[in-house]
Amino acid sequence: MKKNYSNLFKPSKKTISKTISLLKAKKLVAIPTETVYGLAGNAYSDIAVSKIYSLKKRPKKNPIIIHYKSLIDSFKDVEINQNLLKLFKKFCPGPITFVVKRKKNSKISRYAHNNLETLAIRFPANKITKKILKKIEFPLAMPSANISTQISPVSAEDVYEEFKNKIDLILDSGRSNIGLESTVVDVTNNIKILRPGSIGIKEISKVLGKKVYTAKSPNKIKSPGMLKKHYSPGIPMVINHNSLPVDGAYIVLGKKFIKNSNVFSLSISSNLREAAKNLYITMRKIKNLNYKKIYVAKIPYKGIGIAINDRLKRASKK
Ligand code: TXA
Ligand code: MG
């Protein structure tokens, strides 16, 4: 069936100003970032933010990342923090989100933070999204543009697959460069990685000059997105599988088995960055080919491979 992509637009002067008027009118748009595509709304507006929750079917308790054009802008809403300053200087704009103390007088919609004392903030690097942020007087509440618990979108077509024509506009700027959501780091007291991403724990530890840990115990986890089944293709997934399966698709790294039609390599040259970029698109493709089960080979637990393993583990949760 031919899809009606009537709400997909390539970025141009005209479509960027249309995006801005929709945001100003408290409507939602999907826009690209270097990690994944986001579903964006005015973070100061209760109306816009509650639309995000209902469209995504997102549990109300799961707070949303607020996106800013500059560090100065974010200080309207969060307390200055030395760890934030150091990490910002090294990695921003870029694929990292900071959990910081929220200011009492912040105007961010309470729906976005659910009255937590903290706020998650991010400074995206994507040129189009930076341009949009510069032209509006409010930050953007922006979760990944997918129905809650499903796979994040890494292209405009993926966003369309999630929401069809329920959003007025999807800005199509091609595939997301990184393909996995940002690293989430809690910099409030004991610094902790709440969600691994392309910026790794080693790089973060190095900048801060101290050992940083990953939040592990489910009871103590502060990032609700870490708790549940997430990033799910909607069919069973088996990870760390090392033989050719007969009853499903097989995601591998490298060249082994690729002559078989049910085998999909994330990177022929076993490059982990390329694998991360291809992960979600491959999972979606396999699902759309109507496979009933996905097996995944062992992915090395190093560099961005740590984030890939994190997403695979959650996607395979029953
Ligand atoms: O790369 C990304 O971060 C993308 C792009 C669009 O920016 N956004 C994204 O948002 O992945 P979302 O909503 O899909 O994931 C945000 C994660 C969730 O796990 C959420 O629970 C966590 O950040 N989070 C948000 N606010 C938090 C807070 N105050 N404390 C702890 N975790 C928080
Ligand atoms: Mg998400």
Side-chain angles (χ1 to χ4, degrees):
M1 201 173 71
K2 198 173 177 317
K3 287 175 184 140
N4 170 20
Y5 287 140
S6 59
N7 53 351
L8 259 63
F9 297 96
K10 295 271 179 214
S12 69
K13 232 178 171 172
K14 202 171 148 202
T15 58
I16 290 175
S17 36
K18 172 88 178 144
T19 308
I20 292 166
S21 359
L22 287 165
L23 286 167
K24 285 184 176 164
K26 300 176 179 164
K27 300 224 167 131
L28 305 185
V29 293
I31 57 178
T33 88
E34 70 278 27
T35 56
V36 300
Y37 274 68
L39 179 65
N42 179 345
Y44 290 153
S45 159
D46 285 349
I47 295 174
V49 175
S50 50
K51 273 186 207 157
I52 295 180
Y53 281 88
S54 56
L55 194 60
K56 271 185 66 88
K57 303 194 175 79
R58 185 180 179 97
K60 292 207 165 57
K61 276 197 176 157
N62 193 358
I64 293 180
I65 303 172
I66 310 302
H67 297 66
Y68 294 89
K69 65 170 178 290
S70 69
L71 192 57
I72 300 279
D73 261 24
S74 73
F75 290 142
K76 288 179 198 155
D77 300 312
V78 299
E79 304 285 354
I80 294 186
N81 171 307
Q82 291 307 316
N83 297 317
L84 164 66
L85 295 182
K86 284 185 202 159
L87 293 171
F88 179 92
K89 198 168 164 207
K90 176 77 182 174
F91 300 118
C92 293
I96 184 162
T97 295
F98 308 100
V99 172
V100 267
K101 208 160 182 298
R102 182 167 54 87
K103 276 189 176 158
K104 290 253 155 37
N105 62 355
S106 143
K107 287 197 293 181
I108 299 295
S109 163
R110 66 184 195 287
Y111 295 119
H113 54 68
N114 190 35
N115 294 321
L116 286 174
E117 286 184 354
T118 55
L119 194 68
I121 62 171
R122 169 154 132 73
F123 309 88
N126 179 283
K127 272 192 198 145
I128 311 291
T129 290
K130 268 166 70 178
K131 210 179 234 176
I132 294 166
L133 281 165
K134 277 192 188 142
K135 289 190 177 163
I136 51 181
E137 251 90 72
F138 46 86
L140 292 176
M142 181 159 67
S144 50
N146 53 278
I147 308 283
S148 195
T149 79
Q150 314 246 351
I151 310 173
S152 295
V154 292
S155 74
E157 290 82 5
D158 291 354
V159 179
Y160 183 85
E161 200 171 288
E162 295 288 320
F163 298 120
K164 307 286 184 310
N165 288 84
K166 288 184 193 153
I167 26 184
D168 295 311
L169 183 147
I170 301 170
L171 267 192
D172 177 4
S173 99
R175 283 275 295 282
S176 299
N177 257 331
I178 295 173
L180 288 182
E181 306 80 357
S182 62
T183 305
V184 179
V185 52
D186 178 348
V187 293
T188 49
N189 296 311
N190 288 325
I191 298 157
K192 275 206 182 70
I193 307 292
L194 301 181
R195 179 175 72 185
S198 70
I199 294 176
I201 194 160
K202 275 196 191 148
E203 294 158 272
I204 292 174
S205 299
K206 199 171 160 200
V207 172
L208 297 178
K210 59 181 150 199
K211 200 155 168 53
V212 168
Y213 296 90
T214 302
K216 279 212 178 84
S217 155
N219 299 327
K220 291 191 193 128
I221 285 172
K222 286 170 89 183
S223 200
M226 291 187 69
L227 285 173
K228 292 165 259 109
K229 181 184 166 80
H230 227 98
Y231 316 112
S232 163
I235 50 175
M237 250 180 88
V238 176
I239 55 176
N240 300 323
H241 186 88
N242 58 19
S243 58
L244 182 68
V246 289
D247 61 339
Y250 191 26
I251 297 181
V252 300
L253 190 65
K255 289 192 204 125
K256 207 173 167 191
F257 300 123
I258 57 167
K259 294 226 166 84
N260 298 279
S261 64
N262 65 334
V263 176
F264 300 81
S265 179
L266 295 177
S267 167
I268 297 287
S269 60
S270 298
N271 177 305
L272 286 174
R273 294 217 161 253
E274 186 182 19
K277 183 169 177 175
N278 286 330
L279 179 66
Y280 289 155
I281 220 117
T282 306
M283 282 162 67
R284 244 178 225 281
K285 183 157 125 196
I286 291 172
K287 187 189 170 183
N288 291 338
L289 285 168
N290 275 323
Y291 280 98
K292 298 291 176 252
K293 199 167 181 180
I294 304 180
Y295 293 83
V296 191
K298 208 171 167 62
I299 306 291
Y301 198 80
K302 61 170 192 217
I304 200 169
I306 296 174
I308 299 177
N309 274 291
D310 168 77
R311 305 308 191 272
L312 288 174
K313 203 168 151 200
R314 287 174 217 294
S316 66
K317 279 249 163 67
K318 294 208 180 86

